[in-house]
Structures are given as structure tokens and as C-alpha cells.
Amino acid sequence: MRGRARAGLAALCVAAIASGCASGSDGGVNPAPGQQPLQAPPARALDSYAQKLAITQAARAAAAKRWGLAKTPLTAPAAPAEKPRITTRKGFEVKGQASLPPVFTTIPTKRKVVFLTIDDGAEKDPALLKMMSELKIPYTAFLSDYLVKEDYGYFKKMQSRGVSLNNHTLHHRYMPGLSYKGQRGEICGMQDIIEKHYGKRPELFRPPYGNYNVDTLRAAKSCGIKAVPLWASEAFPDHMEWREWDRDLHPGDIILTHFRGREDWKGAMPDMVRKVMKTVTDKGYAVARLEDYL
């Protein structure tokens, strides 16, 4: 394989010289001042890249086996150079929606990627941190302070692993039942908590239960929120629940799950991850980082 790669590069160089495109060829065009002539990368550099890729994939395959996944998770493509335009899903609008943060369940993309999001913060399972890090599965957290405050450090560890920590209100109240002032207190108060403990005010907000009204979005905007991701499906350790009529995944779908354990579920958080990844991988999808598309 290496010999063929080197032979291919050599052939390209010969062709370039023969066509008069190589630097210094008689009658060729010299590079403009300050430019450097193009040079083919050394074959050893290609070999090194291929080796690193193989090592990374082998490590992920080993991690998948160690964590009981039937298949190695697919690798998501690089973040898009141009992020998609996010708009509010039809039927999810409120009065004056055009000037408010968009509410959506799916990212507009043709790539076979989905996005995993985890809500509230009740269960603080160290195995989840280890599992997701070893499998290199990205996810986004939406936190409520009444649960997170039991152990801010757990979510600090999560953040250090590249997880984005976002707003799910202070007390997980039914937002339409509160006044504008009450809703603003819930959202802005959580912004303050996240900034205090994690150093950054989030731009993403998910209303508890997915319920909101115009005051919710007005309050969210006033607190610095830019977008309101909801979800297209919800994951549990033993099944999936679907919003769409065809009960299936689609490119760009957002998956919801929760920080829960055996007290609430028929399984632990790693069991939930195994269920999600089986569903996603079997259907040919990769889990991508939500923030890369927003």
C-alpha cells in the first residue's frame, strides 16, 4: 500500500514537470513574489496520518467492545464550514416569533448525523463520563440548578471533557404557568449559576417539558439565549419514543434523554447510551456535536 502511494506521488511529480508546471521548468510560470512553489507532501507524512487514523479507530473499537456495544459508533464528519440557517419549526411559533430565539427539533442538514442531549442533572454517574470519553461520543447537557447544586463538580468534569453546559431553568417549573417576571427569574437565574460555576453564560435553553409561550421566549432572549432546541425523539435504556409519525431517525434529529439511574429507569445511564448507539448506528447515523451546527 505504501509503495503504491509513493509511486502515485512520483507519477504526479513527473507529470507536473512534463507539463511545464513545476517550479523552474523552461517556459513555465514562476510563482508570484512571496509565494512558494507547490510541493507534494512526503509519503511518510501520509503514512503517519493513516497510522494515527487507524490507531484512533482501533481504540474506539476496543472501547465499544469494552462497554458492550455491538458495533463501533460511526465517526461524525467534520463540522460544516458554513452553519445551517436555523428557523422555528412550523407549528411551534409564538406571536412575534421572527424576533425571538428559534424553536426547533431538527437541524437542517443532509448529513446522516443526529445530536444527543441530556436534561436536568439528577443522576451523576461517573461511568457516564468515562464511557462517553472513551467512545468519543459528543453530547450536550441542559441543567437545572435544584439538581445540579448537589454536585457542581461532577458537571465541571463533564465540561472539561468538552461537553457544553446549557440552561434548563433553576427549578424545572412549568413555564407557561409563570408570569414573565417569574420565567425571567428562572432563566436568568440559571444563566448566573452556570456563569458562576462554569465560566460562561449559555446561548442554548430548553424549557422544562418542552412547554413555553411568548413570555418564555421573550424572557430567554433578554437573558442572552440565542436558540431553543427541543427534540425529535427520546431515549430510555429499554426503548425509544418518537415525535414523528414514521417513528424513525432523520438527518439532523435531536435526541433527548435524562440524567437518570436505576431508581427511575430499567437500567443505568450506560444502558441508555447502549440503546441510543444501537439505534443510531444500526440506521447508519453518527452522533455529532450540536454546537458545531448552531
Side-chain angles (χ1 to χ4, degrees):
M1 180 65 72
R2 295 183 184 178
R4 288 198 296 273
R6 292 191 178 102
L9 289 172
L12 288 174
C13 291
V14 169
I17 293 170
S19 66
C21 294
S23 175
S25 297
D26 292 341
V29 178
N30 292 324
Q35 292 181 333
Q36 296 296 315
L38 294 176
Q39 295 180 351
R44 60 179 176 274
L46 298 177
D47 289 345
S48 176
Y49 174 76
Q51 287 171 359
K52 289 179 181 177
L53 200 62
I55 290 170
T56 299
Q57 187 63 11
R60 201 177 196 202
K65 184 176 182 179
R66 188 163 57 250
W67 287 102
L69 274 65
K71 298 178 181 178
T72 303
L74 299 175
T75 301
E82 183 177 344
K83 296 187 179 184
R85 179 173 174 266
I86 306 297
T87 58
T88 293
R89 177 173 173 160
K90 186 176 180 179
F92 286 57
E93 309 93 337
V94 298
K95 185 177 181 180
Q97 181 68 64
S99 64
L100 297 171
V103 182
F104 50 96
T105 63
T106 299
I107 299 291
T109 180
K110 294 181 179 179
R111 296 176 169 188
K112 290 199 74 172
V113 296
V114 293
F115 308 95
L116 179 61
T117 63
I118 311 181
D119 278 10
D120 64 44
E123 181 74 5
K124 302 164 186 67
D125 187 350
L128 176 72
L129 301 181
K130 185 176 181 181
M131 182 181 195
M132 301 301 264
S133 293
E134 292 184 359
L135 291 171
K136 301 188 184 306
I137 298 172
Y139 60 105
T140 298
F142 289 87
L143 306 179
S144 292
D145 188 56
Y146 82 107
L147 295 170
V148 175
K149 67 182 180 182
E150 298 170 358
D151 187 357
Y152 289 122
Y154 176 81
F155 299 96
K156 186 69 175 177
K157 293 176 183 176
M158 186 175 290
Q159 183 187 42
S160 73
R161 288 163 165 80
V163 178
S164 174
L165 307 181
N166 296 285
N167 194 320
H168 198 45
T169 74
L170 288 172
H171 303 102
H172 207 273
R173 302 281 298 279
Y174 173 71
M175 298 300 277
L178 303 178
S179 65
Y180 171 79
K181 182 179 179 181
Q183 295 196 57
R184 192 172 187 279
E186 282 286 327
I187 301 170
C188 287
M190 193 61 197
Q191 293 288 85
D192 294 341
I193 290 292
I194 293 176
E195 181 178 33
K196 176 181 177 181
H197 291 279
Y198 306 113
K200 183 180 180 181
R201 296 177 76 81
E203 295 186 348
L204 304 183
F205 163 68
R206 176 174 285 161
Y209 315 108
N211 294 126
Y212 60 95
N213 59 17
V214 63
D215 282 344
T216 314
L217 301 187
R218 286 179 54 233
K221 181 179 179 180
S222 76
C223 299
I225 296 299
K226 304 296 184 185
V228 181
L230 296 185
W231 60 91
S233 59
E234 184 171 358
F236 299 85
D238 57 344
H239 72 285
M240 298 284 294
E241 293 184 359
W242 309 92
R243 185 187 293 271
E244 308 303 337
W245 66 271
D246 59 357
R247 299 175 60 80
D248 203 357
L249 290 178
H250 311 87
D253 276 357
I254 299 170
I255 300 173
L256 162 70
T257 190
H258 290 82
F259 289 98
R260 293 288 186 272
R262 295 186 182 280
E263 293 181 0
D264 303 290
W265 275 348
K266 295 177 180 179
M269 295 209 73
D271 297 316
M272 175 276 297
V273 174
R274 280 186 280 271
K275 179 62 179 178
V276 169
M277 296 315 302
K278 176 172 174 51
T279 302
V280 169
T281 308
D282 282 354
K283 293 177 180 291
Y285 286 82
V287 177
R289 185 173 181 269
L290 178 62
E291 291 75 13
D292 287 344
Y293 288 73
L294 297 177

